Short mmCIF file of all heavy atoms in Angstrom, two decimals:
data_model
loop_
_atom_site.label_atom_id
_atom_site.label_comp_id
_atom_site.label_asym_id
_atom_site.label_seq_id
_atom_site.Cartn_x
_atom_site.Cartn_y
_atom_site.Cartn_z
N LEU A 20 2.08 29.33 14.72
CA LEU A 20 1.51 29.76 16.00
C LEU A 20 2.47 29.51 17.17
O LEU A 20 2.33 30.11 18.22
CB LEU A 20 0.17 29.07 16.26
CG LEU A 20 -1.00 29.61 15.47
CD1 LEU A 20 -2.22 28.71 15.63
CD2 LEU A 20 -1.32 31.03 15.89
N GLN A 21 3.42 28.62 16.97
CA GLN A 21 4.41 28.32 18.02
C GLN A 21 5.55 29.33 18.04
O GLN A 21 6.32 29.37 18.98
CB GLN A 21 4.94 26.90 17.83
CG GLN A 21 3.88 25.84 18.00
CD GLN A 21 4.36 24.47 17.60
OE1 GLN A 21 5.54 24.23 17.39
NE2 GLN A 21 3.43 23.54 17.49
N ILE A 22 5.65 30.14 17.00
CA ILE A 22 6.69 31.18 16.94
C ILE A 22 6.19 32.36 17.77
O ILE A 22 5.09 32.86 17.55
CB ILE A 22 6.95 31.62 15.49
CG1 ILE A 22 7.43 30.43 14.65
CG2 ILE A 22 7.98 32.74 15.44
CD1 ILE A 22 7.55 30.73 13.16
N PRO A 23 7.00 32.85 18.73
CA PRO A 23 6.55 33.93 19.61
C PRO A 23 5.98 35.15 18.87
O PRO A 23 5.02 35.75 19.34
CB PRO A 23 7.81 34.31 20.39
CG PRO A 23 8.59 33.03 20.44
CD PRO A 23 8.33 32.36 19.11
N VAL A 24 6.53 35.50 17.72
CA VAL A 24 6.04 36.67 16.98
C VAL A 24 4.59 36.47 16.51
O VAL A 24 3.85 37.43 16.38
CB VAL A 24 6.95 36.95 15.77
CG1 VAL A 24 6.38 38.03 14.87
CG2 VAL A 24 8.34 37.34 16.24
N PHE A 25 4.20 35.23 16.27
CA PHE A 25 2.89 34.96 15.70
C PHE A 25 1.88 34.39 16.68
O PHE A 25 0.74 34.10 16.30
CB PHE A 25 3.03 34.01 14.50
CG PHE A 25 3.93 34.54 13.43
CD1 PHE A 25 5.02 33.80 12.99
CD2 PHE A 25 3.72 35.79 12.86
CE1 PHE A 25 5.87 34.29 12.00
CE2 PHE A 25 4.56 36.28 11.88
CZ PHE A 25 5.63 35.54 11.45
N THR A 26 2.26 34.23 17.95
CA THR A 26 1.30 33.70 18.92
C THR A 26 0.09 34.62 19.01
O THR A 26 0.19 35.83 18.83
CB THR A 26 1.92 33.52 20.32
OG1 THR A 26 2.42 34.76 20.77
CG2 THR A 26 3.02 32.49 20.33
N ARG A 27 -1.02 34.04 19.27
CA ARG A 27 -2.31 34.75 19.42
C ARG A 27 -2.84 35.37 18.12
O ARG A 27 -3.83 36.09 18.14
CB ARG A 27 -2.25 35.79 20.54
CG ARG A 27 -2.01 35.20 21.91
CD ARG A 27 -2.13 36.21 23.02
NE ARG A 27 -1.21 37.32 22.94
CZ ARG A 27 0.00 37.34 23.47
NH1 ARG A 27 0.47 36.31 24.10
NH2 ARG A 27 0.76 38.41 23.38
N LEU A 28 -2.17 35.12 16.99
CA LEU A 28 -2.73 35.58 15.71
C LEU A 28 -3.76 34.56 15.24
O LEU A 28 -3.55 33.35 15.39
CB LEU A 28 -1.65 35.72 14.64
CG LEU A 28 -0.70 36.91 14.73
CD1 LEU A 28 0.29 36.88 13.59
CD2 LEU A 28 -1.44 38.22 14.73
N SER A 29 -4.83 35.02 14.69
CA SER A 29 -5.85 34.09 14.18
C SER A 29 -5.34 33.43 12.90
O SER A 29 -4.43 33.93 12.23
CB SER A 29 -7.14 34.84 13.89
OG SER A 29 -6.98 35.67 12.76
N GLY A 30 -5.97 32.33 12.54
CA GLY A 30 -5.64 31.65 11.30
C GLY A 30 -5.79 32.57 10.10
O GLY A 30 -5.01 32.52 9.15
N GLN A 31 -6.79 33.44 10.16
CA GLN A 31 -7.04 34.39 9.07
C GLN A 31 -5.85 35.32 8.89
O GLN A 31 -5.40 35.57 7.76
CB GLN A 31 -8.31 35.19 9.39
CG GLN A 31 -8.60 36.31 8.42
CD GLN A 31 -9.74 37.22 8.92
OE1 GLN A 31 -10.35 36.95 9.95
NE2 GLN A 31 -10.00 38.27 8.19
N TYR A 32 -5.30 35.84 9.99
CA TYR A 32 -4.15 36.75 9.90
C TYR A 32 -2.90 36.02 9.43
O TYR A 32 -2.11 36.54 8.65
CB TYR A 32 -3.89 37.44 11.23
CG TYR A 32 -5.00 38.36 11.66
CD1 TYR A 32 -5.30 38.54 13.01
CD2 TYR A 32 -5.77 39.07 10.74
CE1 TYR A 32 -6.32 39.39 13.41
CE2 TYR A 32 -6.79 39.91 11.14
CZ TYR A 32 -7.06 40.07 12.47
OH TYR A 32 -8.07 40.91 12.87
N LEU A 33 -2.73 34.79 9.92
CA LEU A 33 -1.58 34.00 9.48
C LEU A 33 -1.67 33.70 7.99
O LEU A 33 -0.66 33.73 7.28
CB LEU A 33 -1.49 32.71 10.28
CG LEU A 33 -0.99 32.86 11.72
CD1 LEU A 33 -1.11 31.55 12.47
CD2 LEU A 33 0.43 33.39 11.77
N GLN A 34 -2.87 33.43 7.51
CA GLN A 34 -3.03 33.19 6.07
C GLN A 34 -2.69 34.43 5.26
O GLN A 34 -2.10 34.33 4.19
CB GLN A 34 -4.44 32.68 5.78
CG GLN A 34 -4.65 31.24 6.21
CD GLN A 34 -6.07 30.76 6.00
OE1 GLN A 34 -7.01 31.53 6.05
NE2 GLN A 34 -6.20 29.45 5.80
N LEU A 35 -3.06 35.61 5.79
CA LEU A 35 -2.67 36.85 5.11
C LEU A 35 -1.16 36.97 5.02
O LEU A 35 -0.62 37.34 3.96
CB LEU A 35 -3.21 38.07 5.88
CG LEU A 35 -4.66 38.48 5.67
CD1 LEU A 35 -5.05 39.58 6.64
CD2 LEU A 35 -4.86 38.95 4.24
N LEU A 36 -0.47 36.65 6.11
CA LEU A 36 1.00 36.71 6.11
C LEU A 36 1.58 35.72 5.11
O LEU A 36 2.50 36.04 4.36
CB LEU A 36 1.54 36.42 7.51
CG LEU A 36 1.35 37.52 8.55
CD1 LEU A 36 1.71 37.01 9.94
CD2 LEU A 36 2.18 38.74 8.20
N LEU A 37 1.02 34.51 5.09
CA LEU A 37 1.52 33.49 4.17
C LEU A 37 1.30 33.88 2.71
O LEU A 37 2.15 33.62 1.86
CB LEU A 37 0.87 32.13 4.45
CG LEU A 37 1.36 31.41 5.69
CD1 LEU A 37 0.61 30.10 5.88
CD2 LEU A 37 2.86 31.16 5.62
#
Side-chain angles (χ1 to χ4, degrees):
L20 284 171
Q21 296 171 12
I22 299 173
V24 172
F25 302 125
T26 57
R27 296 188 300 271
L28 285 180
S29 71
Q31 173 189 356
Y32 294 147
L33 286 173
Q34 286 176 331
L35 279 173
L36 287 170
L37 285 178

